[in-house]
Amino acid sequence: MSLVARIIAEDALAMEQLRAVRELALPDWCIAAGFVRNRVWDHLHGVVPARAPVDIDVLYFDAGDVSRESEETFESRLDALLPGLPWQVRNQARMHVWKDLPPHRDTADSMIYWLETVTGVGVRLEADDTLTVIAPLGTDDLLNLRCRPTPYGRTRRHEYDARVEAKRWRELWPRVAFLD
């Protein structure tokens, strides 16, 4: 089991949230972004228990239904399963539109267009209770406490810099190195 999977597997709240999303039976799904990044960085910084997430980014890929209403229905279903959590469900089959990109091929493909490498990591709880890590840009930066823009993020450097500042990552995780 990878270190990312082990950190998530040892977090009872994370596993409960993954079980809830698994019940939706979404195609090509994972929970990504801060759900993984923050837990890994908290773990590596000795923050126990991990801080509560600002949002829980549930990704899936369904080119056959790109309506915002479907996403809202899934958020409502998750809220019924685990009320009061900051669920944010997004179909990656439609996310290319607002970024003015060609259509994404799948969930992993959509993640390469995020601003920083450490955010493009997700986990999925499989039917046999194993965890699959989805990391199209790898996990080295995440596990080695390095934050850098993705190739896409380099083309939007001002957005990357503003995001790092707004999220207060330097303050929350002082051992992280921010690289160009």
Side-chain angles (χ1 to χ4, degrees), residues 8-126:
I8 300 299
E10 292 172 357
D11 184 320
L13 292 174
M15 294 303 293
E16 181 181 33
Q17 293 161 5
L18 283 160
R19 281 190 293 278
V21 176
R22 181 176 63 185
E23 285 191 36
L24 299 180
L26 296 168
D28 191 17
W29 74 274
C30 67
I31 307 180
F35 178 88
V36 175
R37 181 197 58 238
N38 296 4
R39 280 180 166 88
V40 170
W41 281 358
D42 276 356
H43 175 83
L44 296 174
H45 277 80
V47 176
V48 178
R51 293 172 257 227
V54 174
D55 55 26
I56 303 171
D57 293 295
V58 178
L59 316 179
Y60 70 101
F61 192 89
D62 182 358
D65 179 2
V66 293
S67 69
R68 176 68 185 124
E69 294 75 24
S70 292
E71 295 170 349
E72 291 168 355
T73 298
F74 292 131
E75 287 173 358
S76 294
R77 288 178 58 194
L78 286 168
D79 195 52
L81 291 168
L82 292 175
L85 294 177
W87 297 109
Q88 190 173 68
V89 180
R90 297 292 179 265
N91 183 354
Q92 301 304 293
R94 73 177 191 87
M95 300 317 303
H96 68 285
V97 174
W98 67 272
K99 292 181 181 179
D100 196 29
L101 294 167
H104 300 310
R105 295 183 308 270
D106 55 28
T107 295
D109 182 54
S110 73
M111 293 164 77
I112 68 171
Y113 295 101
W114 291 4
L115 294 175
E116 59 280 337
T117 57
V118 295
T119 302
V121 180
V123 291
R124 176 176 50 242
L125 184 61
E126 303 294 352

